[in-house]
Amino acid sequence: MLIKIKNSWDLSEKDVTSEEDFFSRRDFVKAAGIMGVGSAVNLMTPALAGAYQAETPPSGKYNGSDIKDEQTVLSAITSYNNFYEFGIEKDDPSKNAHSLVTKPWNITVDGHCENPGEYAVEDLVNFNALEERIYRMRCVEAWSMVIPWVGVSLSQVIEKLKPSLSARYIYFETLEDVEQMPGQARNIIQWPYREGLRMDEAMHPLSIMAVGLYGRTLENQNGAPLRLVVPWKYGFKGVKSIVKISFVEEKPNTSWMRLAPQEYGFFANVNPAVSHPRWSQASERRIGDFRRRKTLMFNGYGEMVAGLYDGMDLRRNY
Ligand SMILES: Nc1nc2c(c(=O)[nH]1)N[C@H]1C(S)=C(S)[C@@H](COP(=O)(O)O)O[C@H]1N2
Ligand SMILES: [Mo]
């Protein structure tokens, strides 16, 4: 389904490829195959990581700034996914997520706000105010993409719900239903998938609720019908297929923090200077590229977001 878009943000048109220029699916699969041979495989889950090779140290040669932020091809965005509710391999979500029923879809809102209740997606997101936001997405596993999201600012959604002053954090949950999400049969993380933001992060104009990408509604594997996107943070903050929003006083204990607090913090800001305990975060592989590139502080959005963390030790608050 095509959706109506109001305007474009961030990466300009000239920096990105048109949809016609996408690599073919075969080229992408070839590239992914080459990546697999003798190269780094970083797995988020500590218990599953032992079976894989450790990170190959980056060669020290990086692409310079001459490399543009081209949009990642649609076939890669929809077939190379992390959505553990449908399996842990990158191609599991695209193979398995058809079992998720996204219509109708309701979101429960509770906690410290004036307008709690059950909302249909269409009542929470103003589909007449959709915007395209072309954002870099940097996974904590050290790969990245550039994705043309379609959505609304999270602040628009929050303003509708009218949180009170005692709401210091916003908390999100993904659906929990093993019938629709077969990956939930395994206790990889504690289901449902839980995430959260500090209220000022949530109100930042870069934070969005996405309902589409490349001008179409989201595929299930990308978190249909509604997911969070916070481009200066590692991808795992972008909770998919949201069914619950709560306004809370205490910092939420998120899924990844519960599983491995020494590896995943609440803030999860992209930071090349702070290594993951099992691999470096200094560089990344942009899906579709063959060489690694340097990872940028706050994923390149520092000018807009660094002020949120004034006076904070980002080494401790990883
Ligand atoms: N519910 C849920 N949300 C999730 C995940 C997940 O496993 N379950 N994976 C996260 C991770 S680690 C990343 S990198 C992004 C990937 O989003 P994409 O597959 O749309 O690129 O989704 C995030 N949101
Ligand atoms: Mo990720």
Side-chain angles (χ1 to χ4, degrees):
M1 184 192 135
L2 281 166
I3 40 190
K4 200 176 127 215
I5 296 161
K6 210 174 79 185
N7 53 8
S8 278
W9 260 65
D10 194 25
L11 302 177
S12 70
E13 248 340 280
K14 67 171 167 38
D15 291 336
V16 300
T17 49
S18 71
E19 194 166 353
E20 289 79 66
D21 292 339
F22 294 171
F23 299 20
S24 69
R25 158 103 186 132
R26 239 176 75 231
D27 286 344
F28 168 67
V29 171
K30 250 192 290 171
I34 291 162
M35 280 166 51
V37 179
S39 85
V41 181
N42 304 328
L43 267 197
M44 292 181 72
T45 314
L48 300 168
Y52 291 81
Q53 255 181 279
E55 161 92 334
T56 308
S59 65
K61 280 188 185 169
Y62 298 107
N63 282 323
S65 51
D66 53 315
I67 295 297
K68 288 190 175 168
D69 273 310
E70 294 188 350
Q71 283 179 208
T72 303
V73 297
L74 179 62
S75 58
I77 298 171
T78 56
S79 66
Y80 188 91
N81 299 100
N82 275 337
F83 201 168
Y84 282 6
E85 285 85 341
F86 298 102
I88 59 162
E89 300 297 334
K90 291 290 181 282
D91 59 351
D92 282 340
S94 54
K95 285 192 212 146
N96 300 331
H98 52 83
S99 53
L100 177 66
V101 180
T102 60
K103 261 180 199 166
W105 190 272
N106 292 325
I107 298 112
T108 304
V109 175
D110 64 15
H112 298 274
C113 65
E114 278 177 39
N115 297 324
E118 282 265 310
Y119 290 83
V121 195
E122 303 76 31
D123 297 331
L124 212 54
V125 172
N126 180 357
F127 278 73
N128 294 314
L130 295 179
E131 297 174 28
E132 180 165 72
R133 302 284 188 99
I134 304 170
Y135 285 163
R136 287 176 286 272
M137 184 179 78
R138 170 59 158 83
C139 176
V140 74
E141 297 166 329
W143 52 268
S144 63
M145 295 188 183
V146 176
I147 302 179
W149 299 108
V150 176
V152 296
S153 62
L154 175 56
S155 67
Q156 274 185 40
V157 174
I158 291 174
E159 275 156 16
K160 182 174 292 195
L161 303 174
K162 297 201 192 322
S164 61
L165 284 175
S166 43
R168 296 188 53 227
Y169 296 89
I170 184 168
Y171 166 83
F172 303 91
E173 272 179 18
T174 296
L175 177 70
E176 181 175 15
D177 179 357
V178 71
E179 297 291 313
Q180 294 184 61
M181 297 180 147
Q184 289 179 336
R186 288 177 72 189
N187 290 322
I188 298 159
I189 54 173
Q190 203 183 343
W191 313 111
Y193 195 99
R194 296 153 216 227
E195 261 307 336
L197 295 170
R198 215 171 54 191
M199 218 51 197
D200 58 342
E201 298 177 314
M203 292 301 288
H204 192 281
L206 284 179
S207 299
I208 61 167
M209 292 293 250
V211 296
L213 59 85
Y214 269 120
R216 308 154 191 218
T217 44
L218 286 177
E219 297 290 333
N220 288 353
Q221 59 267 33
N222 293 110
L226 181 69
R227 60 96 53 91
L228 178 68
V229 178
V230 190
W232 70 94
K233 294 177 178 285
Y234 289 119
F236 69 84
K237 296 297 286 185
V239 45
K240 295 177 170 181
S241 306
I242 295 166
V243 294
K244 184 169 184 195
I245 298 177
S246 305
F247 294 99
V248 297
E249 284 176 55
E250 301 290 317
K251 184 188 287 177
N253 195 359
T254 67
S255 290
W256 288 105
M257 288 165 68
R258 281 167 198 244
L259 183 77
Q262 68 292 349
E263 299 190 3
Y264 307 107
F266 177 77
F267 289 97
N269 293 318
V270 174
N271 188 342
V274 177
S275 296
H276 185 283
R278 292 184 278 120
W279 59 82
S280 163
Q281 295 292 25
S283 71
E284 67 199 55
R285 178 181 291 279
R286 179 67 51 83
I287 298 301
D289 286 359
F290 293 94
R291 286 177 186 275
R292 301 180 75 83
R293 63 174 62 205
K294 280 184 178 168
T295 287
L296 304 173
M297 185 64 201
F298 294 117
N299 205 21
Y301 300 98
E303 226 174 281
M304 297 180 75
V305 302
L308 293 169
Y309 309 103
D310 277 348
M312 264 177 67
D313 179 352
L314 297 178
R315 212 162 262 287
R316 293 178 70 95
N317 294 288
Y318 54 85

